[in-house]
Amino acid sequence: MNAATALSKGAATRELILARALEIADAKGIDALTIGTLADAAGMSKSGVFAHFGSREELQLAVLDAAARGFTDEVFVPAVRERRGLPRLRAILQGWKRRTLRYGESRACPIGAAAIEFDDRPGPIRDRVLGHLIHLRKEIARAVAMAVEQGHVRADIDPDQIAFEVHGLVLAFQFELKLFGIERAVLRVEAAISRMLDALALARPEPVSD
Amino acid sequence: MNAATALSKGAATRELILARALEIADAKGIDALTIGTLADAAGMSKSGVFAHFGSREELQLAVLDAAARGFTDEVFVPAVRERRGLPRLRAILQGWKRRTLRYGESRACPIGAAAIEFDDRPGPIRDRVLGHLIHLRKEIARAVAMAVEQGHVRADIDPDQIAFEVHGLVLAFQFELKLFGIERAVLRVEAAISRMLDALALARPEPVSD
DNA sequence: AAATAAAACGCACGGTCGTGCTATTATGCA
DNA sequence: TGCATAATAGCACGACCGTGCGTTTTATTT
């Protein structure tokens, strides 16, 4: 056995289970992820699956973390190959758009969905979800701040405010996908993104009165 | 019995049940609205509640419609007292913000939540939710179009695009409430709203190059 | 007031859920 | 190869779900 697969049997099937769990959570949402369904999908017994996590909640937390890792790998990791500043910010937005599109017209990002499903249920899951979302927002704000440092963007803008509005754009994009289909949603989000990036790069909102 | 309460016993308790159901759906989401819980909240038996709707799905549809009526009453109805154009658009946004705030930091608009919970479950509920959302978006776009007609807003903007972005703003607002609390969320959304309304009213994005 | 209709209840059924407990099988090390 | 240990299966429990049915209570009409 080589180094990459140097896993004990238990750890290996745990990964297999987690992969199936991620598929289910992607497709049906995190609280449609039941132990029985997951056991069927993994070709195991309920108690076999259960033993790997100890509780349903622990399973859900593991899936949440896996989803967050997937987001990082798919959106942030490729983006850091771009130059700091606007190019990298643009890459993040493109990656995010691409990932959102992969969910299609009738599914949602599992973390965003979990944030809404659990917003009224205090506990570890809600905390974990909010933690991931806060991290996401910070990364966006960081990319904007870098763009300011690089002189790509006006110095008087607030990176956190832009992160807020970018987040809203992606959320609206998800809804537009469901409401009016892919083509229209892509047009809208790209119009909004370029409008926003233009506004960031412009000299001042009212150059005449300067 | 006077005219306002001229309801048969059945219709009256149906309204009572619906009111309790709306409370539950507001607080816990539409699929935490179970017949047993609702029966307890209404002080009735499960079968008593059940008989009024014939199925759980029919109950959920009724609650969805009630929530949409509530939104209209709370947001659109007061807004039509304002003058057409920007004042009315502003009133809609304020009303929407106020309503969103009422849900606080740890609950979501039941229709928006249902849109996400049911995005992967085709059927009458999903259709109804999307119908309400499309209606909402059309109303926003209509208000923007009126503002164009009144000359309050540049003629080259697309009302549907603005409706898209406004929707995103409110969604981001809801998340901001959960992530960072009320004060910060209010500051952000008001900054974003006034920035957007300013952009609508301004002459052109690049007046110097004209 | 009696008769008819509507409304609500009590109860049970079949289903799924998460979770323990015990037995069995497979794995990895001496 | 044999043995300790980890991994999985089997099974049952209690809770909750939606839903149907027969009965009983409450409203409405004659």
Side-chain angles (χ1 to χ4, degrees):
Chain A
M1 63 179 71
N2 60 48
T5 56
L7 297 169
S8 66
K9 180 76 195 312
T13 59
R14 194 192 141 103
E15 289 215 347
L16 189 149
I17 294 173
L18 219 46
R20 296 270 175 272
L22 200 51
E23 289 169 15
I24 294 177
D26 272 8
K28 307 272 180 187
I30 196 125
D31 69 29
L33 176 64
T34 82
I35 301 218
T37 313
L38 177 55
D40 285 349
M44 296 179 57
S45 70
K46 274 190 359 174
S47 40
V49 170
F50 182 83
H52 276 280
F53 299 95
S55 77
R56 181 164 127 99
E57 188 170 88
E58 216 63 43
L59 164 67
Q60 290 175 311
L61 289 174
V63 168
L64 241 34
D65 290 348
R69 271 198 307 275
F71 188 94
T72 297
D73 292 347
E74 193 171 341
V75 177
F76 288 123
V77 169
V80 294
R81 286 200 296 261
E82 299 288 329
R83 296 195 325 277
R84 292 182 173 202
L86 265 189
R88 185 175 296 178
L89 180 59
R90 215 180 283 271
I92 291 174
L93 294 181
Q94 286 300 319
W96 200 351
K97 195 192 76 184
R98 187 163 16 88
R99 181 182 164 90
T100 302
L101 273 175
R102 235 200 29 230
Y103 285 116
E105 299 173 4
S106 50
R107 282 174 299 155
C109 162
I111 294 186
I116 293 184
E117 286 166 10
F118 285 84
D119 57 4
D120 42 26
R121 294 181 244 173
I125 296 196
R126 180 176 197 267
D127 294 344
R128 191 73 62 96
V129 168
L130 294 187
H132 286 313
L133 285 176
I134 288 178
H135 174 74
L136 166 64
R137 287 281 286 267
K138 275 191 187 151
E139 288 294 322
I140 305 293
R142 205 158 69 97
V144 175
M146 276 184 185
V148 174
E149 287 170 21
Q150 301 290 315
H152 297 164
V153 157
R154 289 172 13 221
D156 64 330
I157 66 108
D158 175 3
D160 287 315
Q161 177 75 22
I162 301 303
F164 167 85
E165 297 187 21
V166 161
H167 192 187
L169 237 55
V170 175
L171 294 171
F173 180 42
Q174 294 179 9
F175 272 81
E176 192 81 3
L177 276 169
K178 294 176 212 169
L179 293 174
F180 303 111
I182 290 183
E183 299 95 30
R184 198 169 147 176
V186 170
L187 288 178
R188 292 244 174 274
V189 75
E190 289 192 333
I193 285 178
S194 60
R195 209 163 75 92
M196 164 163 290
L197 293 183
D198 286 355
L200 290 185
L202 272 177
R204 318 284 301 203
E206 299 186 65
V208 285
S209 68
D210 232 357
Chain B
M1 64 181 69
N2 59 48
T5 57
L7 296 169
S8 65
K9 179 78 194 315
T13 57
R14 194 192 141 102
E15 290 215 348
L16 188 149
I17 293 173
L18 220 45
R20 296 272 175 272
L22 200 52
E23 289 170 14
I24 294 177
D26 271 8
K28 306 270 180 191
I30 196 125
D31 69 28
L33 176 64
T34 83
I35 301 218
T37 314
L38 178 53
D40 285 348
M44 296 180 57
S45 69
K46 278 195 341 175
S47 41
V49 169
F50 181 83
H52 275 279
F53 298 94
S55 75
R56 180 165 127 101
E57 188 170 87
E58 216 64 43
L59 164 66
Q60 289 176 311
L61 289 174
V63 168
L64 242 31
D65 291 347
R69 272 197 308 273
F71 187 95
T72 297
D73 291 347
E74 193 171 341
V75 178
F76 288 122
V77 168
V80 295
R81 286 201 295 261
E82 299 289 330
R83 298 196 323 281
R84 292 181 172 204
L86 265 188
R88 185 174 298 177
L89 180 59
R90 217 179 281 271
I92 291 174
L93 294 181
Q94 285 300 319
W96 201 351
K97 192 192 78 183
R98 188 164 14 88
R99 181 182 164 90
T100 302
L101 273 175
R102 235 201 29 231
Y103 285 115
E105 300 174 4
S106 51
R107 280 176 301 156
C109 161
I111 294 185
I116 292 184
E117 286 167 10
F118 285 84
D119 57 4
D120 42 26
R121 294 182 243 173
I125 298 197
R126 179 175 197 269
D127 295 345
R128 190 73 62 99
V129 169
L130 293 187
H132 285 311
L133 284 176
I134 287 177
H135 174 76
L136 165 64
R137 287 281 285 269
K138 274 190 187 151
E139 288 294 323
I140 305 292
R142 205 159 70 95
V144 175
M146 277 184 184
V148 173
E149 286 168 24
Q150 301 290 315
H152 297 165
V153 157
R154 288 168 19 216
D156 65 331
I157 65 106
D158 175 3
D160 288 313
Q161 177 74 24
I162 302 303
F164 167 85
E165 297 187 21
V166 162
H167 191 187
L169 237 56
V170 176
L171 294 171
F173 181 41
Q174 294 180 9
F175 273 81
E176 193 81 3
L177 276 169
K178 294 177 213 170
L179 293 174
F180 304 111
I182 289 183
E183 300 95 30
R184 198 170 147 175
V186 170
L187 289 179
R188 293 244 173 274
V189 74
E190 289 192 334
I193 285 178
S194 60
R195 209 163 74 93
M196 162 164 291
L197 293 183
D198 286 354
L200 290 184
L202 273 177
R204 317 285 302 204
E206 298 186 68
V208 284
S209 69
D210 231 359

